[in-house]
Amino acid sequence: MSGKSDNPNFVAILGRAFQIMDCILESPEPIGVSQISKLTEIPKANTFRILKTLEELDAITEIGDGYVLSTQLIKYGNGAKRHNKFLPVVAPYVERLAHEVGESVNLGIQYYDSVLVIHSETGDASTAVVSYLSPIMAMYCSSIGKLLLSYKSDEEIDEYFAKTEIVARTVRTLKSKEDFLKEREEILKEGISYDREEYDYGLSCFSMPIRNMHGDIVAGLSISGPTSRLNYKGVEHLQEVLRKTVDEINFVIKNREIDLPEVE
């Protein structure tokens, strides 16, 4: 989001505040004042004052030397959901799947160069992984992110990796565009993407694509859980259940002509 506009009613300081919040949103780790100032090209002193104002409003939280978005913002997201025709249709399928497999199920879309989880359900409360994933994830180390990225054009993939800093969250995290392209071939062939302990140790995830009424891939639906438990339950079985749910969702979206709202 740009902090500038030709609209005469545009309030520049609010534009900068949202620009800073987008910068925090896109960062996979807490991000500091200097880096935010550099990325947004907002003077450091102004950046600092805006950050402190956002912190006072409970829109962001300071962690160490950096900032992350506050969970207070979830209520605004929930408010937006009430006016979204897509989620009320998809949510029951997500909830059913979570209870059927007894694991966390996440519905994610692309937001700028990250993955935004717009709906999440957990299965058995005593065993499911509760929000081990951040609502915002880097695309290169999440199953939904790699899935959505795989269906981009070669030019879009080149652009993404040219401007994205690869941070090794684990020893299994992809290290380069070349690593991703090798995996992309399998993702496009099988229609499924994996996170094999690439985002966090001991945790795995796999996802399949959700299409809009035009047939375009606009989201990913994933099953997440401890690697050992997913293996015990049978990954192939879990994948079959996920594929069945995804097929049902895609069928309903196409026949009801429901489209996913743009978020960029």
Side-chain angles (χ1 to χ4, degrees):
M1 176 184 292
S2 172
K4 301 178 181 179
S5 173
D6 294 328
N7 189 326
N9 296 314
F10 185 79
V11 181
I13 192 65
L14 288 178
R16 288 184 170 187
F18 273 92
Q19 189 180 5
I20 286 173
M21 290 176 69
D22 276 338
C23 185
I24 296 173
L25 173 67
E26 294 173 33
S27 175
E29 305 290 343
I31 184 170
V33 179
S34 298
Q35 186 68 5
I36 293 173
S37 175
K38 179 180 178 181
L39 292 173
T40 60
E41 299 183 346
I42 298 173
K44 189 173 180 179
N46 293 351
T47 299
F48 179 80
R49 288 197 295 270
I50 293 172
L51 285 169
K52 288 305 175 183
T53 300
L54 291 172
E55 186 177 17
E56 182 69 21
L57 294 171
D58 202 18
I60 62 174
T61 301
E62 187 172 12
I63 298 180
D65 296 326
Y67 292 89
V68 298
L69 295 181
S70 167
T71 55
Q72 176 76 3
L73 297 179
I74 293 175
K75 70 179 184 181
Y76 296 104
N78 289 335
K81 287 181 182 180
R82 292 198 296 268
H83 305 287
N84 187 321
K85 294 181 180 180
F86 178 80
L87 282 177
V89 171
V90 176
Y93 293 94
V94 177
E95 182 178 4
R96 186 192 70 188
L97 176 61
H99 286 290
E100 185 173 354
V101 300
E103 300 293 348
S104 296
V105 176
N106 296 293
L107 178 67
I109 61 175
Q110 182 177 353
Y111 183 78
Y112 293 94
D113 291 325
S114 300
V115 173
L116 173 66
V117 175
I118 60 174
H119 191 71
S120 183
E121 294 282 352
T122 56
D124 185 343
S126 65
T127 59
V129 176
V130 180
S131 300
Y132 88 82
L133 292 174
S134 165
I136 303 295
M137 299 174 285
M139 298 187 75
Y140 62 83
C141 60
S142 61
S143 67
I144 294 178
K146 290 190 292 181
L147 179 77
L148 299 177
L149 197 57
S150 291
Y151 288 90
K152 300 290 185 183
S153 68
D154 293 342
E155 291 76 15
E156 289 173 314
I157 292 173
D158 287 343
E159 181 181 356
Y160 169 78
F161 280 98
K163 63 183 180 182
T164 300
E165 179 184 0
I166 304 296
V167 177
R169 294 184 60 92
T170 76
V171 295
R172 294 178 178 268
T173 304
L174 296 181
K175 298 178 175 62
S176 65
K177 181 183 74 172
E178 288 68 33
D179 287 344
F180 167 75
L181 292 177
K182 293 176 184 176
E183 191 169 330
R184 181 195 186 201
E185 295 180 10
E186 194 67 21
I187 293 173
L188 294 177
K189 178 182 177 182
E190 301 295 335
I192 185 168
S193 175
Y194 296 91
D195 162 10
R196 298 181 176 93
E197 300 188 3
E198 297 166 48
Y199 187 85
D200 207 351
Y201 288 111
L203 299 168
S204 293
C205 179
F206 45 87
S207 60
M208 295 182 183
I210 300 295
R211 301 176 183 272
N212 63 17
M213 65 181 189
H214 308 293
D216 303 316
I217 293 173
V218 293
L221 187 66
S222 71
I223 294 177
S224 310
T227 304
S228 58
R229 194 166 70 212
L230 295 181
N231 289 334
Y232 175 78
K233 291 182 176 181
V235 173
E236 289 186 4
H237 165 68
L238 295 174
Q239 289 174 0
E240 289 177 7
V241 179
L242 175 61
R243 192 178 300 278
K244 178 182 176 181
T245 303
V246 165
D247 288 344
E248 288 180 297
I249 292 173
N250 287 333
F251 178 81
V252 171
I253 290 174
K254 181 178 180 180
N255 283 273
R256 294 192 189 181
E257 297 186 343
I258 299 168
D259 210 355
L260 178 66
E262 293 290 336
V263 295
E264 293 189 60

